[in-house]
Amino acid sequence: MNTEKIFKDILIRLSDIYQNEGSQNGSLTAEALSLASNQVFDLKENEDEELSKFFNSFISNDDHMLAQQIKEISNFLPWHHSSMGGRIEGDLKKQFIQSVLLGPSGIIKSNDYEVGIFMQMANIDYSVRRHPAEETFFIISGKGYFNKDHHPEIYGEVGDYIHNPSMINHSNRTEEHHMIWSWRWSGDISLDSYIKNK
């Protein structure tokens, strides 16, 4: 397995996904991912494979090709339980795992864009929050439900885009199935102004 080649293929696939989103910030993120794919990477295998094995156990042949590519090299990606800078706590934090590919804390450093992979377990409510960053999810495995301000709830499944404008109140939930998405942040991507509503 050529880990570096698969990782570059993942970046190119993500670039295509966000180019096809049909927005200016999606196109700019796509360009950043495409440029990043020209770099040389020396990915190190994780010493603790628990989270990568956990991620892999949810991926099937019915999922998006991106999910299947990530599964191939998941033990070379930096997985962790997502806390959003300490704003997700305790048992809820354990229901999310993520890997940042591009961004301030990503494999590829960027202060302008953030792109990563996020997994939410079944039967979990990810409570209302808002942030300055403009955000788009692209679902690659599973399914779930999304809320934005006072709009009707949206059902999302593999291949769907969910867009959250800057500072909009949004939340999402899963029922009997997990959900995995790639996300992109554009604009102010710092966590300083991330607000978790009580």
Side-chain angles (χ1 to χ4, degrees), residues 137-183:
F137 301 145
F138 180 77
I139 303 172
I140 63 173
S141 177
K143 52 193 173 183
Y145 299 86
F146 298 85
N147 288 281
K148 290 188 272 189
D149 274 344
H150 304 294
H151 299 288
E153 187 173 62
I154 299 169
Y155 171 74
E157 59 186 359
V158 173
D160 288 342
Y161 292 88
I162 307 295
H163 178 70
N164 295 315
S166 174
M167 294 308 289
I168 194 170
N169 287 321
H170 60 284
S171 63
N172 56 277
R173 64 184 180 87
T174 50
E175 292 186 340
E176 77 287 352
H177 210 287
H178 73 284
M179 182 163 51
I180 304 172
W181 62 77
S182 66
W183 86 86

Side-chain angles (χ1 to χ4, degrees), residues 10 40 42 52 55 133 155 188:
I10 287 169
V40 175
D42 183 22
S52 60
F55 174 89
Y155 171 74
D188 179 358

Side-chain angles (χ1 to χ4, degrees), residues 25-109:
N25 283 329
S27 294
L28 291 171
T29 305
E31 183 179 346
L33 288 161
S34 180
L35 288 172
S37 71
N38 294 319
Q39 296 181 26
V40 175
F41 299 100
D42 183 22
L43 301 175
K44 303 296 184 185
E45 194 163 9
N46 295 327
E47 293 182 8
D48 182 357
E49 296 182 356
E50 179 183 353
L51 291 183
S52 60
K53 286 181 178 178
F54 185 71
F55 174 89
N56 288 354
S57 70
F58 286 87
I59 305 304
S60 75
N61 290 335
D62 295 329
D63 289 329
H64 193 274
M65 180 56 71
L66 177 61
Q68 296 175 42
Q69 287 178 305
I70 292 166
K71 179 179 179 179
E72 288 189 68
I73 63 164
S74 64
N75 58 324
F76 289 88
L77 300 179
W79 297 102
H80 61 278
H81 290 288
S82 177
S83 69
M84 296 309 292
R87 294 163 179 84
I88 302 173
E89 301 173 350
D91 290 338
L92 183 60
K93 173 182 172 180
K94 297 175 184 176
Q95 305 305 312
F96 306 118
I97 63 170
Q98 71 175 25
S99 183
V100 182
L101 307 183
L102 173 75
S105 64
I107 295 171
I108 306 152
K109 301 304 177 188

